[in-house]
Amino acid sequence: MKEIKVCGITKQEEIEYLNELKVQYAGFVFTQSKRAVNIGQANELIKCLDKDIQKVGVFKDNSLTEILEILMYVPLNVVQLHGNEDKKFISDLKERISDNVQIWKALSVKDEDKLDEFLFKDYSSLIDMYVIDGDNPGSGEAFSLEILKQKLKNCENKIPYLLAGGITPKNALKRAEEVCALGVDVSSGVEIIEDNMRSKSFNKIRELINNLKFENTKQISRNRQYKN
């Protein structure tokens, strides 16, 4: 069973979709992005989120002070670091946050030195999960999996990570299984654009779940109708 994180949640209707479809993780972006939210917006959304869905805060080169301030006011379960944060920064953060808050580190396949450092040195005391993205993290572009295949040596290296970058309902299972990812991190791949506005699609998220062969597939509502 593959895990799913739907990232870039900005609207109440998207919260409703996640609640009904029962994904594992909801991502809220606290760095410069077209999907960014502030503390107030995040809390309004989280108030309506199913308590069983883990809340992931996405940060990119935010200061330690800024991350800690957001954690004071927003009940996050996970801090996902998507920038140039090094071992010292992560260690300092780990010392300052609750033991109940996980730390995830996002890595790009284009930075092989950093990929090697984080994946093949024992950082398990600092990092709970990795997110591996492509050449242009956050772009929604699919990338060649050859580097990952070489690094993971046909899945002999059991690295806990979610695969990101160009994930769609149609390619998610094949890509995740090809490189033995625990699951996928998706945003634009489950969006629609209407009146030049992006929003998550109930039908696309449902298709993603069904294609990943979730155990709860049969429990997903077939009666509720959404236009997207």
Side-chain angles (χ1 to χ4, degrees):
M1 181 168 109
K2 299 296 184 185
E3 298 185 354
I4 292 177
K5 170 176 168 251
V6 178
C7 198
I9 299 301
T10 61
K11 301 175 181 179
Q12 288 289 346
E13 66 181 14
E14 296 173 344
I15 293 290
E16 293 176 16
Y17 302 165
L18 301 190
N19 288 345
E20 181 164 340
L21 295 171
K22 307 296 183 188
V23 301
Q24 284 81 10
Y25 306 102
F28 302 91
V29 179
F30 294 98
T31 188
Q32 186 173 358
S33 167
K34 56 194 171 190
R35 303 180 184 90
V37 293
N38 58 36
I39 288 173
Q41 291 168 329
N43 279 326
E44 285 300 310
L45 294 167
I46 286 171
K47 279 195 304 187
C48 302
L49 186 68
D50 188 302
K51 61 181 178 58
D52 291 330
I53 299 175
Q54 299 289 291
K55 302 169 288 292
V56 182
V58 178
F59 302 88
K60 183 177 181 181
D61 297 322
N62 300 67
S63 69
L64 184 60
T65 299
E66 186 176 1
I67 295 174
L68 293 173
E69 180 182 9
I70 289 170
L71 283 171
M72 283 180 59
Y73 296 105
V74 182
L76 298 174
N77 304 108
V78 179
V79 171
Q80 178 177 320
L81 302 173
H82 226 286
N84 295 307
E85 303 87 3
D86 58 14
K87 182 181 179 182
K88 183 181 185 309
F89 183 96
I90 297 170
S91 181
D92 289 344
L93 176 63
K94 185 75 171 179
E95 290 179 1
R96 304 279 297 276
I97 64 176
S98 166
D99 291 339
N100 296 324
V101 177
Q102 293 189 7
I103 295 178
W104 294 3
K105 182 71 181 85
L107 302 168
S108 168
V109 293
K110 72 177 181 180
D111 192 341
E112 290 197 53
D113 289 342
K114 187 169 287 187
L115 200 64
D116 289 340
E117 176 190 357
F118 278 98
L119 294 187
F120 303 120
K121 291 184 180 179
D122 185 9
Y123 286 172
S124 59
S125 63
L126 296 178
I127 298 170
D128 299 282
M129 180 89 82
Y130 294 94
V131 176
I132 300 183
D133 208 334
D135 296 339
N136 188 15
S139 67
E141 299 171 359
F143 60 97
S144 171
L145 297 176
E146 291 307 311
I147 291 175
L148 272 184
K149 289 180 185 177
Q150 293 170 18
K151 299 288 184 188
L152 300 178
K153 298 178 181 176
N154 296 319
C155 304
E156 292 176 10
N157 296 303
K158 304 299 183 183
I159 307 296
Y161 79 96
L162 301 181
L163 184 66
I167 299 294
T168 69
K170 289 181 170 42
N171 69 18
L173 182 62
K174 182 177 185 298
R175 288 179 69 80
E177 288 190 336
E178 201 169 341
V179 289
C180 299
L182 293 180
V184 296
D185 186 340
V186 61
S187 184
S188 60
V190 291
E191 288 180 341
I192 57 171
I193 301 176
E194 291 184 332
D195 299 325
N196 294 318
M197 298 289 291
R198 290 180 174 271
S199 61
K200 300 297 185 282
S201 162
F202 177 88
N203 290 332
K204 286 189 175 185
I205 300 171
R206 180 174 61 184
E207 183 185 358
L208 176 71
I209 293 171
N210 290 342
N211 289 349
L212 286 172
K213 300 180 181 178
F214 259 54
E215 291 178 358
N216 68 348
T217 295
K218 293 181 181 178
Q219 300 171 7
I220 293 174
S221 170
R222 302 295 179 180
N223 298 321
R224 187 171 180 178
Q225 299 295 316
Y226 291 100
K227 66 179 180 179
N228 55 340

